[in-house]
């Protein structure tokens, strides 16, 4: 049988409830959960505002997806999440297709996905 849930924690709770409330101590054989997490940025977001707890600082943020050219560099292994941040930034900054002239722009990549290689 397969138990489906909304995430790993939800599955753990369901299995605990199943074992404690319905199985009355009968053994349950389980495998590692398979959780597909497919969340990504598909278009540029609107600007959002976050304020600090003391209301003295404001953070404005916009998210947008990486271009196909950048994704291709990651797929081909030219650039990888595990490489030195400065080396990765230099490659992305100097590549003519990106137009990232500011030195810190490539360092603003937030994440690469749970498997370390992106979506």
């Amino acid at each position: 049988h397969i138990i489906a849930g909304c995430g790993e924690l939800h599955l753990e709770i369901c299995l605990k409830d199943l074992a404690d409330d319905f199985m009355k101590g009968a053994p349950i054989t389980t495998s590692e959960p398979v959780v597909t997490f497919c969340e990504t940025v598909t278009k540029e977001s609107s600007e959002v505002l976050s304020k600090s707890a003391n209301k003295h600082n404001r953070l404005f943020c916009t998210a947008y997806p990486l271009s196909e050219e950048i994704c291709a560099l990651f797929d081909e292994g030219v650039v990888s999440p595990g490489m030195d941040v400065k080396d990765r930034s230099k490659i992305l900054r100097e590549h003519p297709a990106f137009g990232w002239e500011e030195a810190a722009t490539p360092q603003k990549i937030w994440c690469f996905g749970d498997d370390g290689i992106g979506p």
Side-chain angles (χ1 to χ4, degrees):
H1 299 285
I2 296 176
I3 298 176
C6 297
E8 213 166 328
L9 179 61
H10 187 232
L11 290 174
E12 287 177 23
I13 293 169
C14 288
L15 286 172
K16 183 182 180 323
D17 288 346
L18 178 66
D20 295 347
D21 298 339
F22 301 105
M23 297 297 291
K24 303 201 189 302
I28 298 176
T29 304
T30 61
S31 64
E32 287 295 313
V34 177
V35 181
T36 56
F37 183 76
C38 297
E39 187 174 311
T40 188
V41 178
T42 57
K43 63 180 181 176
E44 186 171 342
S45 70
S46 58
E47 186 175 76
V48 295
L49 166 67
S50 178
K51 294 181 183 178
S52 64
N54 64 6
K55 308 280 193 253
H56 290 285
N57 302 304
R58 294 180 179 187
L59 176 67
F60 294 92
C61 186
T62 303
Y64 59 91
L66 296 176
S67 67
E68 292 296 324
E69 292 88 2
I70 296 173
C71 292
L73 286 179
F74 282 100
D75 291 341
E76 295 165 2
V78 175
V79 183
S80 69
M83 69 188 301
D84 182 62
V85 174
K86 290 183 180 181
D87 293 339
R88 182 176 60 234
S89 296
K90 182 179 179 184
I91 292 170
L92 293 174
R93 190 175 55 250
E94 292 176 353
H95 200 285
F98 308 133
W100 286 354
E101 297 171 3
E102 184 183 329
T105 302
Q107 296 177 0
K108 294 178 183 178
I109 298 174
W110 290 348
C111 63
F112 295 96
D114 62 333
D115 56 359
I117 59 170

